[in-house]
Amino acid sequence: MTKLVWDQVGQRFYETGVDRGVLYLPNSQGVYDTGHAWNGLTAVTESPSGAESNPQYADNIKYLNLVSAEEFNGTIEAFTYPDAFAACDGTATPVAGVSVGQQARKTFGLSYRTRIGNDVDGTDHGYKLHLIYGALAAPSEKAYNTINDSPEAITFSWEISTTPVDAGEELKPTATLTIDSTKVSKARLTALEEALYGTVGTDPRLPLPTEVFEMLAGDDVNEVVPTRPTQAGNTVTIPTTTGVVYRINGVEVTGAVEIEEDTLVTATPAAGYKFPTVTDADWLFEYDPEA
C-alpha cells in the first residue's frame, strides 16, 4: 500500500475560464454538420437534474431505492450570438433585417472549452472540451438600459434543456461529453478538434458520441510500409526500415544473412506503428533458390 500525500507539487489542480464556443445546427437526419463560431461567450452553467432517490418499502424495512432519470440542463450567457442562433431562439427573418419572434425553436449542439490549471503550469496545464447535444433554448429576458456614466454591455442569457442522443450499446443515451486534453492522445485530440473547428478544406461539425469514442480510442500509431529484402544467391539483405521488425523463425534479423530453402522472412510493425492493411497481418518474403 502507498501512503496518501496531499498537495504535492504539480498536483494542485483547478478549472477556470470558458472560450472557443461553437454552435452546431443539425440537418434533417440529426447530423450536426454545420458549425458557427460563438463570439462573446461569457459563461456556460451546467445544471444537471434528476437522479433523485425514491425509496421503496417492504416487510417493514427500506427494501430498495429507485432513482429517477437524470437530465442535463444549463444556462448560456454571452455578449452576442451567431446569426444562425436566431432560429434556435425562436426568431425568423422573412426579410433581410427584419426579425419575427415567437416562432418555432430549433435544437442545436454546442461545444466550448474550459482551462485546467495547476500550481506549476498555471492555466496552460491543459483544457477540457465540453460537447452538448440536443439542446433547446427557452425564451429569455433581455434588459435594455439607458447609457449612463458607467455603461455596461448587455449580457444575453438562455436556459437550455436537452434531449440525449445515442452513446452506443453499453451506455445510456447522453446529452453531454467532456474530453480531458491531459488524458487522451494528442494526435487523436487534434483529429477531433479539426472536426469540431473545421480545416481549410472541411466544414466544422459536431461528431456524435459514438464517433467521438472511435476517434479517441487507442494509442498513437504511425503507418509504415516494409521494404522487401533483396536476394543474391542464398544471401538475403534485410533493409533498415523504421518501424518494421524482420524475423527468421521468430528471431529478429538485420543486415545480410544466409538462408536456406523454404525459409520465410517475416515483417511485423514495431511498437507504435502499423501496416496500412485491413488485418495488419505479417508481411512475408519467401526464399527463392533460383535467384
Side-chain angles (χ1 to χ4, degrees):
M1 297 292 291
T2 302
K3 183 179 179 180
L4 295 177
V5 179
W6 284 264
D7 299 325
Q8 296 186 78
V9 174
Q11 300 296 312
R12 304 172 187 179
F13 298 108
Y14 58 90
E15 291 186 44
T16 186
V18 59
D19 62 5
R20 293 197 179 183
V22 184
L23 168 74
Y24 303 94
L25 299 181
N27 60 23
S28 58
Q29 285 74 44
V31 176
Y32 296 88
D33 59 355
T34 306
H36 306 268
W38 193 317
N39 299 315
L41 193 65
T42 60
V44 179
T45 303
E46 299 181 357
S47 306
S49 61
E52 297 175 350
S53 173
N54 182 16
Q56 305 291 304
Y57 292 85
D59 299 322
N60 297 323
I61 62 172
K62 189 174 184 179
Y63 192 70
L64 54 84
N65 266 329
L66 295 178
V67 179
S68 63
E70 185 171 342
E71 297 186 2
F72 181 85
N73 306 301
T75 303
I76 302 172
E77 297 179 44
F79 287 128
T80 185
Y81 50 88
D83 290 341
F85 185 70
C88 306
D89 198 24
T91 300
T93 307
V95 179
V98 178
S99 298
V100 180
Q102 297 179 301
Q103 304 302 301
R105 292 173 176 267
K106 293 186 178 181
T107 60
F108 62 95
L110 180 71
S111 75
Y112 57 95
R113 187 179 72 166
T114 56
R115 298 293 186 93
I116 302 174
N118 70 359
D119 53 309
V120 175
D121 304 320
T123 57
D124 293 327
H125 180 70
Y127 56 89
K128 289 184 178 180
L129 294 175
H130 302 258
L131 312 182
I132 297 177
Y133 303 88
L136 185 67
S140 59
E141 180 182 272
K142 299 180 178 67
Y144 300 96
N145 299 314
T146 184
I147 297 176
N148 52 38
D149 58 350
S150 301
E152 294 182 358
I154 295 172
T155 301
F156 299 101
S157 176
W158 302 268
E159 292 185 359
I160 62 170
S161 57
T162 59
T163 301
V165 296
D166 180 60
E169 296 181 357
E170 298 181 357
L171 297 171
K172 294 180 179 179
T174 183
T176 179
L177 297 182
T178 303
I179 297 94
D180 188 332
S181 71
T182 66
K183 297 179 180 179
V184 300
S185 156
K186 182 177 180 181
R188 293 179 181 273
L189 181 62
T190 297
L192 173 60
E193 290 180 324
E194 288 179 348
L196 293 174
Y197 307 140
T199 64
V200 174
T202 59
D203 293 330
R205 63 187 183 89
L206 178 61
L208 294 173
T210 52
E211 184 181 356
V212 173
F213 302 154
E214 293 175 358
M215 296 174 73
L216 297 180
D219 300 320
D220 284 343
V221 292
N222 299 302
E223 288 192 348
V224 61
V225 179
T227 303
R228 182 172 291 276
T230 58
Q231 181 183 353
N234 67 338
T235 300
V236 171
T237 301
I238 308 298
T240 301
T241 305
T242 301
V244 180
V245 178
Y246 298 88
R247 292 185 175 87
I248 295 178
N249 297 328
V251 179
E252 186 173 340
V253 293
T254 58
V257 294
E258 292 186 358
I259 63 176
E260 299 176 355
E261 188 175 354
D262 299 329
T263 299
L264 293 179
V265 177
T266 63
T268 54
Y273 292 84
K274 70 175 182 178
F275 291 170
T277 60
V278 175
T279 61
D280 282 349
D282 286 0
W283 179 86
L284 307 177
F285 171 81
E286 186 172 3
Y287 167 68
D288 181 2
E290 303 299 327

